[in-house]
Amino acid sequence: MNELLIFLGPPGAGKGTQAKKLCSDRSLTQLSTGDMLRSHVKRGTELGVEAKKIMDRGELVSDDIIVGMVRDELSNASDGGARFLFDGFPRTTAQAEALDNLLASMNTGLDAVLLLEVNEEEVIQRLLKRAELEGRSDDNEETIRNRMSVYKSQTAPLIEYYDNKGLLKRVDGQGTIDDVYARLSGHFA
Ligand code: AMP
């Protein structure tokens, strides 16, 4: 059976961590556009070389490139149904509209959009800590602040976009990983 979820929230809200747990519990495939881009960077593909410059500035890779990557992944959906959790996608209204069209062409649609809410200072502290632990080149303070401002201007409008469709579920993202996961799972009880 199909199940299609989106994780929305600022960088550092814990989307990736929570997505991994939910995907394993609900047998979903996690589609993280950030992970896909980092894989291109690591492999040194043409796309990776271009994307790295944009990611290191904390800006967004073009909608066409992102939508193309997601379209390719969705075309691999198995006969057992489309079971995906989108993590870090969509990030712009144009991406959200493209996703609606892609899913409509597959005769399916979104089940829910989970918004992880964490206050801005906490998110910045978490990202600075991740910078130390993982050494991601886009986790320095200047880039982090830019990613936050890009989130507010380009991605936050999606909160209203999905709320208007009756799909938005708000989850308090403060506290430990287990606290947050308990609240999140409550939406699936
Ligand atoms: P993330 O791991 O989701 O925080 O993504 C890291 C970086 O990859 C972002 O700051 C963007 O530069 C780029 N990126 C990831 N997903 C998208 C997307 N859906 N649209 C545009 N750029 C993206």
Side-chain angles (χ1 to χ4, degrees):
M1 222 183 64
N2 292 353
E3 182 163 313
L4 294 153
L5 305 175
I6 290 178
F7 260 20
L8 200 60
K15 296 187 296 293
T17 308
Q18 297 293 333
K20 280 193 182 65
K21 287 168 80 77
L22 198 66
C23 284
S24 123
D25 279 359
R26 300 190 70 75
S27 303
L28 300 167
T29 301
Q30 182 179 0
L31 274 188
S32 158
T33 44
D35 284 350
M36 290 179 214
L37 291 169
R38 280 184 288 278
S39 156
H40 275 280
V41 172
K42 214 166 164 186
R43 286 179 281 135
T45 68
E46 202 178 319
L47 165 60
V49 173
E50 284 314 304
K52 184 170 191 308
K53 297 180 203 157
I54 299 168
M55 293 164 82
D56 283 349
R57 292 197 300 265
E59 282 159 18
L60 295 183
V61 173
S62 83
D63 290 332
D64 286 352
I65 288 177
I66 298 288
V67 171
M69 282 189 339
V70 171
R71 185 186 297 119
D72 289 347
E73 291 293 323
L74 287 180
S75 66
N76 296 329
S78 72
D79 294 339
R83 300 188 58 79
F84 293 103
L85 186 158
F86 300 101
D87 160 17
F89 171 86
R91 261 179 157 97
T92 62
T93 306
Q95 291 179 18
E97 289 168 350
L99 178 62
D100 286 343
N101 292 334
L102 276 175
L103 296 180
S105 73
M106 296 164 69
N107 293 316
T108 189
L110 293 165
D111 293 285
V113 176
L114 299 147
L115 173 66
L116 275 183
E117 299 185 291
V118 183
N119 78 50
E120 183 166 350
E121 264 324 298
E122 166 131 8
V123 155
I124 289 174
Q125 291 315 314
R126 286 187 191 179
L127 288 171
L128 288 171
K129 203 160 147 196
R130 183 167 80 188
E132 272 174 42
L133 295 172
E134 295 179 14
R136 263 177 59 165
S137 61
D138 59 350
D139 274 348
N140 61 74
E141 185 153 2
E142 196 188 333
T143 306
I144 288 169
R145 296 213 179 262
N146 197 31
R147 281 158 68 203
M148 282 305 302
S149 97
V150 167
Y151 172 78
K152 284 189 209 162
S153 62
Q154 304 204 52
T155 308
L158 295 181
I159 297 172
E160 200 185 333
Y161 179 89
Y162 288 120
D163 204 12
N164 288 339
K165 291 180 185 282
L167 290 170
L168 194 77
K169 298 189 190 307
R170 294 173 186 270
V171 180
D172 178 359
Q174 319 262 118
T176 67
I177 292 175
D178 289 344
D179 289 342
V180 177
Y181 193 66
R183 287 182 213 123
L184 187 61
S185 326
H187 284 289
F188 297 89

